[in-house]
Amino acid sequence: MSGHENFLKLSHLYKYFGDVKAVNDISIDIEQGELISFIGPSGCGKTTLLRIVGGFHKQDQGSITLDDQAIDQLPPEQRPTGMVFQNYALFPHMTVYKNVEYGLKIEKVDKAEREKRIKEALAQVQLEGYEERKPSELSGGQQQRVAIARCLVLKPKVLLLDEPLSNLDANLRMIMREEIRRLKEELNLTIIFVTHDQEEALSISDRVIVLKDGTVQQLDRPDNIYNEPSNEFVANFVGHANILSGNLAEVDGDTYFKTGKFSFKVEQPSNTTNQDVKAVIRPERIKLDPEGQLEGKIARIVYNGNFTRYFVDIQGEEIMVDDFNAHGLGSYQRNDQIKLSFPDQPHYILEEDVQ
Amino acid sequence: MSNEASRQSRTAKLASDLRQFWSEPWFAILTMILAGAILLFIVTPVFAVLYKSFGMDASGFTLDYYREFFSRTYYFDSMMNSLGAAVISTIIVVILSVSISLYVTRSTSFVSRFYRGAALLPLVAPPFIFSLSLIILFGRNGIVTSVINSTFDVEFSIYGFWGVVIAQVLGYFPIGYMLVESTMRNMNPSLEHASSDLGASQWKTIRKVTLPLSQTGITKAGLLVFVMALADFSNPLIIGGGEPFLASEAYLLVVGQQNLEQAAVLGVFLIVPSLIIFIFQTYILDDSGLETISGESGASNAPLSRRVKTVVMTINTLFVSFIILMFVMVVLGAFVKIIGINNTFTLEHFQNRNGWDSLYTSVFVSFVAAILAATIGMLQGYLFARKPIPGKKALEFLTLFGLAVPGTVMGIGYVLIFNGSPFFLTGTVLLIVLNMTFRKIGVGLEASISKMHQIDTSMEEASSDLGSGPYRTFGKVVVPLLSPAFIAGFIYTFMTAMVSISSVIFLIAPGTNLAAVYILNLAEQARVGMASAMSFVLIVIVLSCMGLLKYIEKKTGVSI
Ligand SMILES: Nc1ncnc2c1ncn2[C@@H]1O[C@H](COP(=O)(O)OP(=O)(O)OP(=O)(O)O)[C@@H](O)[C@H]1O
Ligand SMILES: [Mg+2]
């Protein structure tokens, strides 16, 4: 990555709609060349925050600087940001070429240069040969690419994408994810990517921001968000998690994590000495293991193709366990008695972090 | 929230709206010009009529003219005739509309398309054309009249109250029909299927399900037809046989006796029902509830059963044949010497210098008015749909109100306002254009607003994101996307302007005669041949313009 930290700096942004606190004191520093995702449940303020950056909403308070220039008072047409709208917002009465040319004409770029740059932009999104088509004559994925090319051709400093893949089918979504990553690497683009699909966010981003009710819950690398969620909300929102309340206790020199119903052996954690904690254990980290310490009964089975999820009843507490289907169908039945082994380094959430 | 707090927040909102309003000064200035024009060309004329009806600016406030209205049975009769004819015409139009819609919405056969085409035919003709053909058939020397009179030895003729009713039914039928048909078409067919599935016969289904669900649409259609029939001006004049009607009497008072005050009183009685109905339609009639239950696509209504079909088909066929007969009579009348008496082919009725001049003026004036009305409607639609304009609800109301004001009232109002200082516009083509334009801008406005609601704001945001300012965005993105609304406004204004009479008849001068008015004069004098010939040409022009537009629509892919 080319460095320049604090390339895009959002400081203490607020935006209220009446009583709704859509954005409530958000500060984020984004590096140049970074792809950062906003995720969070519907209505948490992702779009609002993105639109504030693009200039389509005026923040109530706070400031935005881009490349050390304050941009928060500029109208959208003067901001060096490029927005790809969820519905693409291609001009239906113009051809692909004209759509991409639109912004260049406004910048009064001369004709030869325009042609060159449009050609280049269309090549970047692999749409050569589609110049004369109307948007209505393109597939969803192609429209998406045109929308991106239309922004890229203006060489924006930041690309803003609001749920750009949500209108595409599952396969195309995968392809476009790769495309966006590739463009980002090739052109060293700085991208803000809004999505409500946590898997998409994890796979595409350099860093992920989890939002809730207009506030930042966690801002971190995807693997850290998944493995070390900062609170229960993040743990539940990103992936599935068993969250066990309990405490750590010493027994004969070993450390145990004890819930009210059962306990299992762990290593002495480094990040907490707190007695009352919550342990976050992802379902795939629990093993169906004949040698396991804990015994339970399979209450329900949900088959998912590449893995099978077992809901296992341990002393009245239901635990999710994912078993990777490396050998075809899962091998257990409902009501089977099985043994489980728990990871000895669960992630702990400190009680005072829990909101 | 307390009252104080809510008032404060409203003031704050108004202040921020105003700031935003002024942030695009050209749009703000345009809005103000528009508002001024709406007030001047729609609102003031109506108030001028009201003002005048109390004798103001001649003798000071007086109720004499109202007293006169109620004491002279002649004036009072004009009101009763107008109301009576309008009520009867409306009822007949509604029944016929339902009957044709029932058939047309359930079949795509040739017969169905034929009914539909014929039913819409009167749209392209001047509203009085049926008076003309009724005279040809049933006038004093009419083709049928002579047969009846000699067979039964009576003095029959169509002139009078019932002639007016028949002419109105034929002339205003398409308006009502279009509304009823679209309501029935939008109804979810599965409701009817459910009813018959529950054991109801088709009669019962139509009575208990179809009609109640179409109620709002039918009411709307009825009210619209009623307002138009009430304001009818030309049919009473041509075929009323001296029976007084409000609009025609008001006109005669102005031209014959220069009695503007008395004419204004008649105008007030014209406008009060229209205003009540307009307000009722805008604010009370709720069309959101019933018929918008969405249906699975592909399902269609069950075809009519034998019994229902027989009744409906009989009514439809009779009525549609009558419409066609009327048109045939006009065409024949145009091409033979004296229809019914000397049926040799001739083109002499077309050799009419004044007629062609008036046609030329009509086309020119209507074209300009249509361009203006469509442009203003589009601009206003954009501004109203997207910008925070203080008082825009009121302005929208007034603009649409322009559509509801009876032409006669508008005409008298224009005479009162623009005759003298500071305007001195009477007799100018400009005044005629302004009159036609502002009476119709509501159509373009409504079309544009509803189109704007279909266009996502992201379209304009994308444009500004790509570096374009608000005016360029309007020109390059909004205008092209609004072109269907523009064309709709244009067509409507052009077609109605070509055949409109009731308002402009007050504004024409010898040099600026209009085709419709000219034909009316010919018809009044029972100069059937020339009137038919000119009507024929008028219909051809309107039809070709529509054809041209359809062609452009196909060529450019802009859907209308
Ligand atoms: N223009 C507006 N006027 C009033 N309230 C708004 C407006 N835009 C957003 N809101 C409110 O602000 C909150 C945040 O909305 P926002 O659109 O940012 O959510 P989001 O995270 O993008 O949700 P989604 O995933 O559904 O797109 C919501 O409660 C929403 O109702
Ligand atoms: Mg959103």
Side-chain angles (χ1 to χ4, degrees), chain A residues 51 77 83 87 92-93 102 106, chain B residues 458 461 463-465 467 476 480:
Chain A
R51 291 172 62 86
E77 60 263 31
M83 177 110 165
N87 60 2
H93 57 296
Y102 189 84
I106 293 164
Chain B
S458 65
E461 288 171 353
S463 169
S464 81
D465 189 54
K476 293 276 174 184

Side-chain angles (χ1 to χ4, degrees), chain B residues 305-539:
Chain B
S305 69
R306 273 281 281 285
R307 263 178 58 202
V308 180
K309 197 165 166 178
T310 318
V311 177
V312 166
M313 287 280 271
T314 312
I315 299 176
N316 296 357
T317 310
L318 280 175
F319 180 61
V320 166
S321 318
F322 195 57
I323 292 181
I324 292 170
L325 177 69
M326 296 283 113
F327 274 88
V328 169
M329 286 337 285
V330 170
V331 177
L332 286 180
F335 287 99
V336 303
K337 277 207 151 73
I338 305 169
I339 188 164
I341 296 173
N342 180 352
N343 291 330
T344 45
F345 177 81
T346 176
L347 288 177
E348 69 185 27
H349 302 311
F350 290 90
Q351 280 139 22
N352 176 350
R353 190 59 220 278
N354 292 342
W356 288 103
D357 281 353
S358 67
L359 267 169
Y360 173 78
T361 316
S362 275
V363 172
F364 173 75
V365 167
S366 307
F367 185 80
V368 177
I371 296 268
L372 271 177
T375 309
I376 294 175
M378 184 171 72
L379 203 62
Q380 203 183 351
Y382 170 70
L383 294 172
F384 280 25
R386 289 290 200 263
K387 306 290 171 192
I389 298 169
K392 80 178 158 190
K393 278 271 163 264
L395 278 177
E396 190 181 339
F397 176 87
L398 292 174
T399 310
L400 297 178
F401 178 56
L403 289 171
V405 178
T408 311
V409 175
M410 219 39 142
I412 297 174
Y414 269 53
V415 169
L416 291 172
I417 299 259
F418 300 107
N419 215 351
S421 63
F423 299 106
F424 299 109
L425 281 173
T426 339
T428 62
V429 173
L430 177 64
L431 189 60
I432 298 177
V433 168
L434 288 170
N435 177 284
M436 287 175 166
T437 304
F438 281 92
R439 283 189 61 206
K440 307 295 179 195
I441 52 174
V443 173
L445 174 67
E446 283 213 307
S448 300
I449 288 184
S450 78
K451 188 77 202 169
M452 280 313 297
H453 288 320
Q454 290 166 21
I455 303 173
D456 200 274
T457 44
S458 65
M459 223 38 101
E460 291 137 83
E461 288 171 353
S463 169
S464 81
D465 189 54
L466 296 168
S468 164
Y471 309 121
R472 189 181 184 118
T473 297
F474 178 70
K476 293 276 174 184
V477 176
V478 178
V479 167
L481 294 179
L482 277 184
S483 55
F486 178 90
I487 294 175
F490 180 90
I491 295 187
Y492 179 82
T493 311
F494 183 79
M495 278 176 46
T496 49
M498 278 300 285
V499 299
S500 81
I501 288 191
S502 56
S503 198
V504 287
I505 198 168
F506 293 93
L507 309 176
I508 53 167
T512 59
N513 206 354
L514 296 172
V517 179
Y518 182 71
I519 302 171
L520 177 75
N521 291 335
L522 292 172
E524 269 183 288
Q525 301 157 26
R527 291 168 72 178
V528 168
M530 269 193 193
S532 301
M534 300 303 307
S535 301
F536 179 74
V537 178
L538 197 60
I539 293 171

Side-chain angles (χ1 to χ4, degrees), chain A residues 18-35:
Chain A
D19 298 337
V20 179
K21 299 172 179 172
V23 170
N24 195 13
D25 192 11
I26 290 189
S27 302
I28 307 168
D29 293 337
I30 299 170
E31 266 180 57
Q32 190 168 23
E34 186 175 30
L35 195 163

Side-chain angles (χ1 to χ4, degrees), chain B residues 105 229 240 244 253 257 274 290 325 337 392 412 551:
Chain B
T105 53
L253 277 167
Q257 309 173 22
S274 312
L290 292 172
L325 177 69
K337 277 207 151 73
K392 80 178 158 190
I412 297 174
Y551 176 75

